Every structure is written in C-alpha cells, then in structure tokens.
Amino acid sequence: MSSLTKLLQEKKNEHSSTENSNSSLATINETKNAHGESAASTDSSHVKITRNGPTILRTTSRTLDLGQTQPRRTTTSVTTVTQIDSEDDNHHAHNIPTVSSSFLNSNFAHTASLYTSNAGSFIDNHNNNSYISPVSNSSFSNSNNVFPIRRDSLRSSNSISNGRNIPSLSSSIPYSVPNSNKDNSNNNHGSNNSHGSNNSSLTSSWLEVYGSSLPKNVSAIDSNIISSPQVDSVEPRFMISKQKLQSASQSNLQQTHGNSVSRSNSFSSQIGNMFFSKPSKDKQSSSPHHNNSHTNSDNHPTSPNTHVSHNSINGNNSTASSSNGTAIPKPTRARTTSIYSSSRQPSSSYTEATYGSPNNQYDNTNNNPPSQSIPRSHHSSISNLRSFFKKSSSNLNNSNNSNNSNVGSVPVPSNVSHQSSSKNSFTPGSYGSMNGETIYVASNSSGSHSSQSRENQLPFAKRYTRTGEDLGAGAGGSVKLIKRNSDSKIFAVKEFRAKFENETKRDYVKKITSEYCIGTTLNHPNIIQTIEITYENNRILQVMEYCEYDLFAIVMSNKMSYEEICCCFKQILTGIQYLHSIGLAHRDLKLDNCVINKDGIVKLIDFGAAVVFSYPFSKTLVESSGIVGSDPYLAPEVCIFSKYDPRPVDIWSTAIIFACMILKKFPWKIPKLRDNSFKLFCSGRNCDSLSALVTRTPEPPSYDNAKNADTERSGSCSNNTADRNNLNIGPQRLLHSLPEESQHIIGKMVDLAPACRANIDEIMEDPWIVSIEMCTTVDNGFKTGVITASDHTHTQVDQSEAHIAGLEKKKKEKNAAAAAATSSSKQNH
Ligand SMILES: Nc1ncnc2c1ncn2[C@@H]1O[C@H](COP(=O)(O)OP(=O)(O)OP(=O)(O)O)[C@@H](O)[C@H]1O
C-alpha cells in the first residue's frame, strides 16, 4: 500500500470508527420479512409525476398520473434505514390526514393539480421507529402542515432553529470542497478540516430530547429552515475595502468604457432602490455624480436596463433593448439585496449610500461618465458580484468551448449593453475588448442603433404589448407572453409577485434581485436569456426570451422518444456544467423549470433559488442553507443538514428529472424515510441510518484489493453495495427500471452520499453521456444557428397544452365538465 493510500486508509478508518460509533448511537430499525413485505406492498402503488410549483418550502404537489407501478413485494429480509426526523416531521406524520389530492391542490394556489392522485402510503417515524401507515386516498403532503414556514428561522443565525443547531454537511463528513471546476468532491475525502466540528454545536434542547442516542455527526431534520445562507463571520478576504473597490471600479471603467463596472453596482442598487427609499435623505445628499450613476444612455450603459444585443436562435437577431420604463423609485440602500452576498454581510462595512433624485436617476440624456457611479459602499454584495463577474468572464470561454456554443460570443453578462457612442468604441456587429477579453457586439435587429436607443427611452408599456396569454405561475410570480412592438418578436415576461405582508423588504428584494442578477449574468444556450428588467406601476417585470414549450408539458404528452429524452437530459447537464463552472448552483432543478424552444433547445429557468457556491480565487466552498427546492427532486442531504454543497444537490435533481422523463413518474415524493419508496431505495445497504449513508465518503483507491477496483469499475460507490439481484431495495430499485446504459451514471448521480455522488464533469465524461446526440446551437459571431441531432426530432405539442398554464386550464375545464355532468345526472334522477 502506498503511503498516500495508507494515509487515506487511516483517514477512512478514523472516519469509519466515527461512523460506527454513530451507528450504534443512532436509532436502528431493522425491518424483517413481514415488515418488509408490508412496507413493500404499500409502496409506490401510486406513481405519479407531480408538478411542484413554487420552490422554497413548498411541498404541495401538482399531481399528474402518468403511469402506474404495481405494488412490489419484498420477500427477502431487508435492513431498512432510520432517519431522525424533526419534531415537526414526526408531528406531521402522526397527524397524517386522510386528505384528498384535491385538498392538497387547493391548498396551494399556484400548484393546482392537473390530475388527481390516488392513494399514498406513509412511513411514520414514530419515536424514530418506522412503521407503515397506509393511507388510502391520500396524497403525500399537506402543504399547510409539512413545511410550515417559520419566519423566525429566517432571522436565526447559522441556522439555529427551534433551539437546535443543525450542523453543516461538510462539518459532518471529512471533506471540504475546493471550488475548482475540476474539483471532484470524490477526491476530497482526505481533507478533514471540519470533521466533527459540529459536535459542540448541538444545543442542549436537542440533547435533552434525544439524549445519548444522538450520533455525533447527525442532526435532526428540520424541515422548516428557510433562512438564507448565513455565516457567523465574514472572512477578511471577502471584505473589500472601499478604496480598493473604488480604484478597481475606476480601472475597470477605463478599460471598458463603463460597460461592466457599474452594472453589478447598478442591479443591486437599482432593485434595492425600488424598495429602500429614503427620500428625504436621498434628496439631501443627491449630487450630480450620484444623479448620474444610473444613467441609462447609449454612452453609459450602466443600468441593468441596458443590454447587449444577442443573436437569437435560428439566426434571428434578437435585440435586447434597453428600457427605462418608469423611473425606479429613488434608491436608498441595497444592503443584502443580492444573493451573492447574503451569506457574508459584514454589517459594519455597510456605508449608507445615497443617490440622486428619481427624476435624474435614469436620465437618458446625461452623458457623464459612469466612473462617477462610484460604488456607493464597500458592501460585500458589490464586491461579491464583481468577483462573480470576473469568474464568469474567465470561465465563459472555457464553457463555451466545451459546449460548442457561442463561438466568439460575449464573455460578459448576457445583457450588458455595448452600444456605440462617442465615448464607446463598440459598435454593433464588431469586436471590442472588455477586461482584456475580446467581445463581440451583436448587431441590432430592430433597426439602427439610434432608433433602438430612441425606443429604449419609451416606457415599457409602449414598447411591448401583452398578448394576455399565461404561460405559468409560481411562487415567484406569473409569466405571460408579450410582443415587442418594434419587431413583433414574442417574449415571456415574468411579473414578480408583490411582497408578502409578513415578508421583510430585505427578503423580498433579495429574492427578486437574485433572479435578476443571475438572469442577466448568464450567457449560455441552455440557460434562459434575460432581456431586461423594468419597474413599472409598482411591478417588477423581467423580460426573457420565449420558449414555446415547458419540458413538463412535453413529458406529459407521453410522446417523447428515448433519444429525445436523452438529448434533453444532456442539454440540462450542459446548462448545469456551465452554471457550476462559474460558481453557481440552481437548487431548484425540476421539469417545470426547463423550457424548450421549437428547435428543441432546452433552457433552464427560474433562478430564484440559485446560489453562489464559490468565488474566484477562493478554494472555499460556500455552503448553502435551507430546504430549498421541490420535494421529489430534493437531495436527501438537504432534508438533513442545515448546510450543504449545492452542486451535488443539482446533480441529484437532474437524475430525478431523467427518471421522471423515462418513467413518467417520480421515484418518491420526498427523500425522507417516511416515504416508503425512498426508504426502500435507501435500504439494503448494510447501514441502518440515513444520516450515516449520507455522510459516507468514497472508498480510497486500493491497489491491493482487486475487489474494490472491480466495484469501482462497475460503478458502485460505497453507498451502492446493496444486493444487485434484489430489485426491490437499494439503488437497483430505481436503476433497474432505467435503460441499462444509463444505470451506471444515474446510480452515481443518486448516490445518497454527496461526497460520493458524481460531479458534473465526471458525468459529462461518462461514455453514455458522451454518446448522446444532442441538439445545440452554434454561434459564428454573427448568427446563431441550431445543430439538430440526427437520431430524433423534438416533440411539439399543441400550444394550448404547451405550457403549465395551458395544462392547468385544461384540467380545470375537464373538472368543470365532469362536475356539470355529475350535477345534471343527479337532476335527472
Ligand atoms: N422564458 C419562458 N418561456 C416560456 N415559458 C416560461 C418562461 N419562463 C417561465 N415560463 C413558464 O412560467 C412558469 C413559471 O415560471 P418560473 O418558474 O420562473 O416562476 P416561479 O414563480 O419562479 O416558479 P416556482 O414556483 O417554480 O419558483 C414556468 O414553469 C414556465 O411554464
């Protein structure tokens, strides 16, 4: 054994001794024959694909019965795993109501059911001892009960909720994750920086409840954590001094003629401005400089309302136009308005900023150089954003190359404007330089540059016409179709929901800003392109490129060929590869959040839950917090740990998307042991604790042990050691119903342990993934065209059923017709 292997082995032994002790402490639930049979017999008798609407802490499902699975019987002795649930979960489980799915559906306005579900079965972790509680005619979750939102948790620091301090995943397993693109968490098991560090964080209340039965590195599942990522302290390197930031801005501004620098400034400030108005103070301190800081002119595209023109698919040049709509209310401060900074707010570093009057703020005629839009604070959101953009820029080329897209395209946020002006050498259709990188300035399809800028000065309502068609709605708002008057091009516009009464402005702005920031930063064929954002009549409107179909609707049509499914899957992976390469994780990947255009190009939408997990030049993983996402797609660690690496979470969700596309059903409704399907999936792995399974680390490579090497080759990870012949328990339970060639990598994507889960680069190198023919776009710098795969065409469904809203409307009509028929038959009687 080499010394390295020895070291790793020692580390592993050290860890496994911890695990063993944990296991002995954990509640063990061995379910033998009869019990296993019982469990299996109630399991998955209701296979449905559930459209989960809004994202954060929402469990209500839109239920779509697309398939049926026969109840399976487990005849062998199985070892099931136990999960220590939170009080709320237990409470919920004890009180599982026999609710009809219509009840569930009606409990969430934006998650209306498309099809009703039938029975469900539940595992109730009563006193941590699982038992089967079959509930007929009930759907799984009650949105009102399962994840009640605890506002107090929002304010709790470091995810201390209900007196319990729930550790981060990385502190519970011996790995820390550097942020390099090539970093594979599988390789990080040797690093044990924080192993066991959480032990002391367990609060007495938790210990009182569970006493000595609590494993050292296992914490309660608290379904209610919805706090934004927060950290106790901010590392000094994240605090950028005002002077540094200022000089960096100025030098950037000199380089870029103001194209990029104030942008990061502007969107955090601008959106924050919408809400954090302090008129009197602002008026007092307004200055010409400040007044101009958000000047939206051709010369100084400093506001987020100025955008670069991008070539659209199929060679149609779409021009992202600049919009001023209505003047955004005067800014006061944009503190913590960005998700980029939500976890690292040095409170002392915030400098109260003031801006000019609303009248001047978006003065289109003012040509003062944007250098005067001096960052108004050394607020870390700005510095983080700046860092993020740098990283984005440096990675974009890579990403584009690897994805064979956007050749020569703009390595800057997608809608940063590079409009020609006396001070700006960029002209449409030409190459320029920005931050030392070559950029292509797309030509303007909507006419001459001056006519575009003239149009940009028009209010939103004059530039666009609503067609009235609803595309969908969710927790974040509703999405509608609009037509751009200048060229009759169709776009989707998301009207962000209004602030909830019990929501703080800060939280509200943070949510909106995150979506906008990310939307405007990303530039990839498999990511939706944000054209502009505007504020009009107290509404925030985000204009996006329009995609003709929801992937959900296409899957629902049941018409997809296998090759088409694989193509969509690979496109989603390609989008994720791009996101992860620039330090972003989506965190709410699901069928509903993939749209597809008529050319078969899949685009990820809805970045309301996205997070930054790494910053440039930092090897530190910024863990995410909270149960964010949609139940069936949630990775198990999200339900167990308060903090986790969001990348493996995306990977898990994508595997579930694939399974849904193939099976037309969810493998389980939630990755908790009270879901019998999930419980069986976790079972049979020589381990009786879900937390132990989730905190497993990869086996170190062993050159003396041929068996291990074989196992590795066959794709089995430490968590997948279940009896391969038993198709009812363990990973095989899911994998055996998937195409054989996909089983290896999907198995690695649904590894219960995030440390063992395949990362995106590994997935993209998988022979099966490599072999998939994928439709993609190619950009020659002037036009973007589509390269279609030869082995499939993409399903196109009737527009009335192409979007979630259409499906829901149809469902309602169907229900109404059924109700009318019932009432008329009653009358006849
Ligand atoms: N660019 C687009 N083109 C076509 N349809 C879209 C587009 N963007 C959104 N939609 C439709 O609108 C729906 C809602 O959009 P989105 O997911 O952004 O809203 P949300 O309120 O954030 O939803 P969620 O509840 O999932 O968080 C999508 O499921 C999709 O059907």
PDB file of all heavy atoms in Angstrom, residues 797-827:
ATOM      1  N   VAL A 797     -46.100  19.965 -29.055  1.00  0.00           N
ATOM      2  CA  VAL A 797     -47.499  19.737 -28.691  1.00  0.00           C
ATOM      3  C   VAL A 797     -48.306  20.977 -29.019  1.00  0.00           C
ATOM      4  O   VAL A 797     -47.753  22.048 -29.277  1.00  0.00           O
ATOM      5  CB  VAL A 797     -47.648  19.384 -27.181  1.00  0.00           C
ATOM      6  CG1 VAL A 797     -46.959  18.068 -26.863  1.00  0.00           C
ATOM      7  CG2 VAL A 797     -47.136  20.503 -26.302  1.00  0.00           C
ATOM      8  N   ASP A 798     -49.575  20.805 -29.012  1.00  0.00           N
ATOM      9  CA  ASP A 798     -50.462  21.927 -29.283  1.00  0.00           C
ATOM     10  C   ASP A 798     -50.201  23.048 -28.280  1.00  0.00           C
ATOM     11  O   ASP A 798     -49.996  22.800 -27.096  1.00  0.00           O
ATOM     12  CB  ASP A 798     -51.909  21.422 -29.145  1.00  0.00           C
ATOM     13  CG  ASP A 798     -52.887  22.457 -29.622  1.00  0.00           C
ATOM     14  OD1 ASP A 798     -53.246  23.348 -28.809  1.00  0.00           O
ATOM     15  OD2 ASP A 798     -53.275  22.387 -30.785  1.00  0.00           O
ATOM     16  N   GLN A 799     -50.216  24.264 -28.773  1.00  0.00           N
ATOM     17  CA  GLN A 799     -49.895  25.396 -27.894  1.00  0.00           C
ATOM     18  C   GLN A 799     -50.830  25.492 -26.688  1.00  0.00           C
ATOM     19  O   GLN A 799     -50.445  25.997 -25.640  1.00  0.00           O
ATOM     20  CB  GLN A 799     -49.906  26.702 -28.681  1.00  0.00           C
ATOM     21  CG  GLN A 799     -48.550  27.027 -29.311  1.00  0.00           C
ATOM     22  CD  GLN A 799     -47.434  27.185 -28.280  1.00  0.00           C
ATOM     23  OE1 GLN A 799     -47.506  28.038 -27.404  1.00  0.00           O
ATOM     24  NE2 GLN A 799     -46.405  26.346 -28.359  1.00  0.00           N
ATOM     25  N   SER A 800     -52.037  24.983 -26.844  1.00  0.00           N
ATOM     26  CA  SER A 800     -52.962  25.055 -25.701  1.00  0.00           C
ATOM     27  C   SER A 800     -52.492  24.153 -24.563  1.00  0.00           C
ATOM     28  O   SER A 800     -52.944  24.272 -23.439  1.00  0.00           O
ATOM     29  CB  SER A 800     -54.365  24.652 -26.142  1.00  0.00           C
ATOM     30  OG  SER A 800     -54.367  23.297 -26.535  1.00  0.00           O
ATOM     31  N   GLU A 801     -51.574  23.236 -24.888  1.00  0.00           N
ATOM     32  CA  GLU A 801     -51.058  22.346 -23.845  1.00  0.00           C
ATOM     33  C   GLU A 801     -49.550  22.461 -23.710  1.00  0.00           C
ATOM     34  O   GLU A 801     -48.909  21.608 -23.113  1.00  0.00           O
ATOM     35  CB  GLU A 801     -51.420  20.892 -24.184  1.00  0.00           C
ATOM     36  CG  GLU A 801     -52.891  20.643 -24.144  1.00  0.00           C
ATOM     37  CD  GLU A 801     -53.227  19.195 -24.475  1.00  0.00           C
ATOM     38  OE1 GLU A 801     -52.312  18.362 -24.552  1.00  0.00           O
ATOM     39  OE2 GLU A 801     -54.405  18.923 -24.659  1.00  0.00           O
ATOM     40  N   ALA A 802     -49.004  23.499 -24.275  1.00  0.00           N
ATOM     41  CA  ALA A 802     -47.545  23.599 -24.297  1.00  0.00           C
ATOM     42  C   ALA A 802     -46.971  24.155 -23.014  1.00  0.00           C
ATOM     43  O   ALA A 802     -45.787  24.012 -22.746  1.00  0.00           O
ATOM     44  CB  ALA A 802     -47.120  24.473 -25.472  1.00  0.00           C
ATOM     45  N   HIS A 803     -47.826  24.781 -22.243  1.00  0.00           N
ATOM     46  CA  HIS A 803     -47.329  25.409 -21.026  1.00  0.00           C
ATOM     47  C   HIS A 803     -48.140  24.956 -19.824  1.00  0.00           C
ATOM     48  O   HIS A 803     -49.278  24.517 -19.954  1.00  0.00           O
ATOM     49  CB  HIS A 803     -47.387  26.940 -21.151  1.00  0.00           C
ATOM     50  CG  HIS A 803     -46.485  27.442 -22.233  1.00  0.00           C
ATOM     51  ND1 HIS A 803     -45.119  27.493 -22.091  1.00  0.00           N
ATOM     52  CD2 HIS A 803     -46.755  27.866 -23.492  1.00  0.00           C
ATOM     53  CE1 HIS A 803     -44.582  27.950 -23.210  1.00  0.00           C
ATOM     54  NE2 HIS A 803     -45.551  28.180 -24.073  1.00  0.00           N
ATOM     55  N   ILE A 804     -47.531  25.132 -18.695  1.00  0.00           N
ATOM     56  CA  ILE A 804     -48.172  24.727 -17.456  1.00  0.00           C
ATOM     57  C   ILE A 804     -49.559  25.363 -17.344  1.00  0.00           C
ATOM     58  O   ILE A 804     -50.527  24.708 -16.979  1.00  0.00           O
ATOM     59  CB  ILE A 804     -47.319  25.157 -16.234  1.00  0.00           C
ATOM     60  CG1 ILE A 804     -45.870  24.683 -16.390  1.00  0.00           C
ATOM     61  CG2 ILE A 804     -47.954  24.722 -14.935  1.00  0.00           C
ATOM     62  CD1 ILE A 804     -45.549  23.312 -16.010  1.00  0.00           C
ATOM     63  N   ALA A 805     -49.615  26.654 -17.676  1.00  0.00           N
ATOM     64  CA  ALA A 805     -50.890  27.357 -17.541  1.00  0.00           C
ATOM     65  C   ALA A 805     -51.946  26.706 -18.421  1.00  0.00           C
ATOM     66  O   ALA A 805     -53.105  26.555 -18.024  1.00  0.00           O
ATOM     67  CB  ALA A 805     -50.723  28.830 -17.908  1.00  0.00           C
ATOM     68  N   GLY A 806     -51.541  26.305 -19.620  1.00  0.00           N
ATOM     69  CA  GLY A 806     -52.474  25.658 -20.534  1.00  0.00           C
ATOM     70  C   GLY A 806     -52.959  24.329 -19.980  1.00  0.00           C
ATOM     71  O   GLY A 806     -54.151  24.006 -20.056  1.00  0.00           O
ATOM     72  N   LEU A 807     -52.015  23.589 -19.422  1.00  0.00           N
ATOM     73  CA  LEU A 807     -52.379  22.294 -18.844  1.00  0.00           C
ATOM     74  C   LEU A 807     -53.358  22.473 -17.686  1.00  0.00           C
ATOM     75  O   LEU A 807     -54.313  21.732 -17.530  1.00  0.00           O
ATOM     76  CB  LEU A 807     -51.123  21.565 -18.348  1.00  0.00           C
ATOM     77  CG  LEU A 807     -50.189  21.013 -19.426  1.00  0.00           C
ATOM     78  CD1 LEU A 807     -48.897  20.514 -18.808  1.00  0.00           C
ATOM     79  CD2 LEU A 807     -50.862  19.887 -20.185  1.00  0.00           C
ATOM     80  N   GLU A 808     -53.053  23.480 -16.883  1.00  0.00           N
ATOM     81  CA  GLU A 808     -53.920  23.715 -15.733  1.00  0.00           C
ATOM     82  C   GLU A 808     -55.318  24.148 -16.164  1.00  0.00           C
ATOM     83  O   GLU A 808     -56.313  23.728 -15.586  1.00  0.00           O
ATOM     84  CB  GLU A 808     -53.269  24.744 -14.797  1.00  0.00           C
ATOM     85  CG  GLU A 808     -52.121  24.118 -14.037  1.00  0.00           C
ATOM     86  CD  GLU A 808     -51.348  25.099 -13.187  1.00  0.00           C
ATOM     87  OE1 GLU A 808     -51.569  26.307 -13.320  1.00  0.00           O
ATOM     88  OE2 GLU A 808     -50.510  24.638 -12.393  1.00  0.00           O
ATOM     89  N   LYS A 809     -55.336  24.977 -17.200  1.00  0.00           N
ATOM     90  CA  LYS A 809     -56.624  25.445 -17.710  1.00  0.00           C
ATOM     91  C   LYS A 809     -57.437  24.247 -18.216  1.00  0.00           C
ATOM     92  O   LYS A 809     -58.614  24.094 -17.910  1.00  0.00           O
ATOM     93  CB  LYS A 809     -56.363  26.429 -18.862  1.00  0.00           C
ATOM     94  CG  LYS A 809     -57.513  27.347 -19.165  1.00  0.00           C
ATOM     95  CD  LYS A 809     -57.051  28.407 -20.159  1.00  0.00           C
ATOM     96  CE  LYS A 809     -58.194  28.810 -21.062  1.00  0.00           C
ATOM     97  NZ  LYS A 809     -57.740  29.489 -22.270  1.00  0.00           N
ATOM     98  N   LYS A 810     -56.761  23.412 -18.955  1.00  0.00           N
ATOM     99  CA  LYS A 810     -57.434  22.227 -19.497  1.00  0.00           C
ATOM    100  C   LYS A 810     -57.981  21.352 -18.390  1.00  0.00           C
ATOM    101  O   LYS A 810     -59.093  20.826 -18.457  1.00  0.00           O
ATOM    102  CB  LYS A 810     -56.429  21.429 -20.342  1.00  0.00           C
ATOM    103  CG  LYS A 810     -56.491  21.769 -21.798  1.00  0.00           C
ATOM    104  CD  LYS A 810     -56.358  20.510 -22.635  1.00  0.00           C
ATOM    105  CE  LYS A 810     -57.212  20.623 -23.881  1.00  0.00           C
ATOM    106  NZ  LYS A 810     -56.500  20.918 -25.066  1.00  0.00           N
ATOM    107  N   LYS A 811     -57.168  21.204 -17.371  1.00  0.00           N
ATOM    108  CA  LYS A 811     -57.574  20.377 -16.241  1.00  0.00           C
ATOM    109  C   LYS A 811     -58.817  20.955 -15.569  1.00  0.00           C
ATOM    110  O   LYS A 811     -59.757  20.241 -15.224  1.00  0.00           O
ATOM    111  CB  LYS A 811     -56.398  20.293 -15.254  1.00  0.00           C
ATOM    112  CG  LYS A 811     -56.714  19.671 -13.922  1.00  0.00           C
ATOM    113  CD  LYS A 811     -57.025  18.196 -14.060  1.00  0.00           C
ATOM    114  CE  LYS A 811     -57.424  17.619 -12.710  1.00  0.00           C
ATOM    115  NZ  LYS A 811     -58.094  16.338 -12.846  1.00  0.00           N
ATOM    116  N   LYS A 812     -58.791  22.274 -15.417  1.00  0.00           N
ATOM    117  CA  LYS A 812     -59.944  22.933 -14.792  1.00  0.00           C
ATOM    118  C   LYS A 812     -61.198  22.707 -15.621  1.00  0.00           C
ATOM    119  O   LYS A 812     -62.268  22.406 -15.103  1.00  0.00           O
ATOM    120  CB  LYS A 812     -59.670  24.440 -14.650  1.00  0.00           C
ATOM    121  CG  LYS A 812     -59.053  24.800 -13.309  1.00  0.00           C
ATOM    122  CD  LYS A 812     -58.949  26.314 -13.194  1.00  0.00           C
ATOM    123  CE  LYS A 812     -57.887  26.679 -12.170  1.00  0.00           C
ATOM    124  NZ  LYS A 812     -57.333  28.011 -12.402  1.00  0.00           N
ATOM    125  N   GLU A 813     -61.050  22.887 -16.928  1.00  0.00           N
ATOM    126  CA  GLU A 813     -62.202  22.705 -17.821  1.00  0.00           C
ATOM    127  C   GLU A 813     -62.749  21.283 -17.713  1.00  0.00           C
ATOM    128  O   GLU A 813     -63.945  21.062 -17.655  1.00  0.00           O
ATOM    129  CB  GLU A 813     -61.794  22.990 -19.272  1.00  0.00           C
ATOM    130  CG  GLU A 813     -61.651  24.477 -19.565  1.00  0.00           C
ATOM    131  CD  GLU A 813     -60.935  24.751 -20.891  1.00  0.00           C
ATOM    132  OE1 GLU A 813     -60.649  23.783 -21.636  1.00  0.00           O
ATOM    133  OE2 GLU A 813     -60.645  25.924 -21.149  1.00  0.00           O
ATOM    134  N   LYS A 814     -61.793  20.357 -17.638  1.00  0.00           N
ATOM    135  CA  LYS A 814     -62.190  18.945 -17.552  1.00  0.00           C
ATOM    136  C   LYS A 814     -62.975  18.706 -16.261  1.00  0.00           C
ATOM    137  O   LYS A 814     -64.020  18.062 -16.251  1.00  0.00           O
ATOM    138  CB  LYS A 814     -60.916  18.085 -17.563  1.00  0.00           C
ATOM    139  CG  LYS A 814     -61.083  16.736 -18.204  1.00  0.00           C
ATOM    140  CD  LYS A 814     -59.692  16.139 -18.364  1.00  0.00           C
ATOM    141  CE  LYS A 814     -59.730  14.648 -18.239  1.00  0.00           C
ATOM    142  NZ  LYS A 814     -58.384  14.067 -18.242  1.00  0.00           N
ATOM    143  N   ASN A 815     -62.448  19.263 -15.192  1.00  0.00           N
ATOM    144  CA  ASN A 815     -63.118  19.104 -13.895  1.00  0.00           C
ATOM    145  C   ASN A 815     -64.506  19.729 -13.917  1.00  0.00           C
ATOM    146  O   ASN A 815     -65.465  19.169 -13.398  1.00  0.00           O
ATOM    147  CB  ASN A 815     -62.295  19.745 -12.779  1.00  0.00           C
ATOM    148  CG  ASN A 815     -61.112  18.875 -12.415  1.00  0.00           C
ATOM    149  OD1 ASN A 815     -61.060  17.706 -12.811  1.00  0.00           O
ATOM    150  ND2 ASN A 815     -60.156  19.432 -11.689  1.00  0.00           N
ATOM    151  N   ALA A 816     -64.557  20.935 -14.520  1.00  0.00           N
ATOM    152  CA  ALA A 816     -65.837  21.636 -14.563  1.00  0.00           C
ATOM    153  C   ALA A 816     -66.851  20.826 -15.368  1.00  0.00           C
ATOM    154  O   ALA A 816     -68.020  20.684 -14.971  1.00  0.00           O
ATOM    155  CB  ALA A 816     -65.655  23.028 -15.168  1.00  0.00           C
ATOM    156  N   ALA A 817     -66.381  20.254 -16.477  1.00  0.00           N
ATOM    157  CA  ALA A 817     -67.271  19.450 -17.312  1.00  0.00           C
ATOM    158  C   ALA A 817     -67.756  18.224 -16.536  1.00  0.00           C
ATOM    159  O   ALA A 817     -68.939  17.863 -16.589  1.00  0.00           O
ATOM    160  CB  ALA A 817     -66.554  19.025 -18.586  1.00  0.00           C
ATOM    161  N   ALA A 818     -66.827  17.615 -15.805  1.00  0.00           N
ATOM    162  CA  ALA A 818     -67.176  16.423 -15.023  1.00  0.00           C
ATOM    163  C   ALA A 818     -68.187  16.795 -13.941  1.00  0.00           C
ATOM    164  O   ALA A 818     -69.173  16.076 -13.710  1.00  0.00           O
ATOM    165  CB  ALA A 818     -65.931  15.810 -14.404  1.00  0.00           C
ATOM    166  N   ALA A 819     -67.966  17.946 -13.318  1.00  0.00           N
ATOM    167  CA  ALA A 819     -68.879  18.389 -12.254  1.00  0.00           C
ATOM    168  C   ALA A 819     -70.262  18.670 -12.828  1.00  0.00           C
ATOM    169  O   ALA A 819     -71.290  18.312 -12.241  1.00  0.00           O
ATOM    170  CB  ALA A 819     -68.314  19.627 -11.563  1.00  0.00           C
ATOM    171  N   ALA A 820     -70.271  19.303 -14.013  1.00  0.00           N
ATOM    172  CA  ALA A 820     -71.547  19.617 -14.651  1.00  0.00           C
ATOM    173  C   ALA A 820     -72.292  18.340 -15.007  1.00  0.00           C
ATOM    174  O   ALA A 820     -73.510  18.227 -14.805  1.00  0.00           O
ATOM    175  CB  ALA A 820     -71.307  20.461 -15.902  1.00  0.00           C
ATOM    176  N   ALA A 821     -71.539  17.362 -15.521  1.00  0.00           N
ATOM    177  CA  ALA A 821     -72.160  16.090 -15.896  1.00  0.00           C
ATOM    178  C   ALA A 821     -72.759  15.403 -14.666  1.00  0.00           C
ATOM    179  O   ALA A 821     -73.881  14.873 -14.716  1.00  0.00           O
ATOM    180  CB  ALA A 821     -71.125  15.189 -16.564  1.00  0.00           C
ATOM    181  N   THR A 822     -72.014  15.448 -13.569  1.00  0.00           N
ATOM    182  CA  THR A 822     -72.497  14.815 -12.337  1.00  0.00           C
ATOM    183  C   THR A 822     -73.773  15.480 -11.857  1.00  0.00           C
ATOM    184  O   THR A 822     -74.750  14.822 -11.495  1.00  0.00           O
ATOM    185  CB  THR A 822     -71.424  14.914 -11.222  1.00  0.00           C
ATOM    186  OG1 THR A 822     -70.151  14.618 -11.792  1.00  0.00           O
ATOM    187  CG2 THR A 822     -71.690  13.964 -10.078  1.00  0.00           C
ATOM    188  N   SER A 823     -73.759  16.827 -11.858  1.00  0.00           N
ATOM    189  CA  SER A 823     -74.933  17.524 -11.332  1.00  0.00           C
ATOM    190  C   SER A 823     -76.152  17.303 -12.237  1.00  0.00           C
ATOM    191  O   SER A 823     -77.275  17.167 -11.768  1.00  0.00           O
ATOM    192  CB  SER A 823     -74.636  19.010 -11.123  1.00  0.00           C
ATOM    193  OG  SER A 823     -74.594  19.634 -12.354  1.00  0.00           O
ATOM    194  N   SER A 824     -75.920  17.237 -13.561  1.00  0.00           N
ATOM    195  CA  SER A 824     -77.075  17.029 -14.453  1.00  0.00           C
ATOM    196  C   SER A 824     -77.624  15.614 -14.291  1.00  0.00           C
ATOM    197  O   SER A 824     -78.830  15.393 -14.351  1.00  0.00           O
ATOM    198  CB  SER A 824     -76.703  17.319 -15.902  1.00  0.00           C
ATOM    199  OG  SER A 824     -75.962  16.263 -16.431  1.00  0.00           O
ATOM    200  N   SER A 825     -76.727  14.644 -14.058  1.00  0.00           N
ATOM    201  CA  SER A 825     -77.226  13.271 -13.862  1.00  0.00           C
ATOM    202  C   SER A 825     -78.001  13.167 -12.547  1.00  0.00           C
ATOM    203  O   SER A 825     -78.972  12.442 -12.438  1.00  0.00           O
ATOM    204  CB  SER A 825     -76.088  12.258 -13.916  1.00  0.00           C
ATOM    205  OG  SER A 825     -75.380  12.266 -12.717  1.00  0.00           O
ATOM    206  N   LYS A 826     -77.563  13.941 -11.542  1.00  0.00           N
ATOM    207  CA  LYS A 826     -78.299  13.954 -10.272  1.00  0.00           C
ATOM    208  C   LYS A 826     -79.691  14.523 -10.471  1.00  0.00           C
ATOM    209  O   LYS A 826     -80.673  14.038  -9.921  1.00  0.00           O
ATOM    210  CB  LYS A 826     -77.527  14.798  -9.243  1.00  0.00           C
ATOM    211  CG  LYS A 826     -76.539  13.992  -8.423  1.00  0.00           C
ATOM    212  CD  LYS A 826     -75.874  14.869  -7.389  1.00  0.00           C
ATOM    213  CE  LYS A 826     -74.701  14.151  -6.759  1.00  0.00           C
ATOM    214  NZ  LYS A 826     -73.823  15.080  -6.040  1.00  0.00           N
ATOM    215  N   GLN A 827     -79.733  15.619 -11.254  1.00  0.00           N
ATOM    216  CA  GLN A 827     -81.028  16.265 -11.511  1.00  0.00           C
ATOM    217  C   GLN A 827     -81.976  15.310 -12.229  1.00  0.00           C
ATOM    218  O   GLN A 827     -83.165  15.239 -11.936  1.00  0.00           O
ATOM    219  CB  GLN A 827     -80.819  17.528 -12.339  1.00  0.00           C
ATOM    220  CG  GLN A 827     -80.450  18.726 -11.463  1.00  0.00           C
ATOM    221  CD  GLN A 827     -80.049  19.932 -12.305  1.00  0.00           C
ATOM    222  OE1 GLN A 827     -80.151  19.893 -13.518  1.00  0.00           O
ATOM    223  NE2 GLN A 827     -79.612  20.966 -11.628  1.00  0.00           N
TER     224      GLN A 827
END
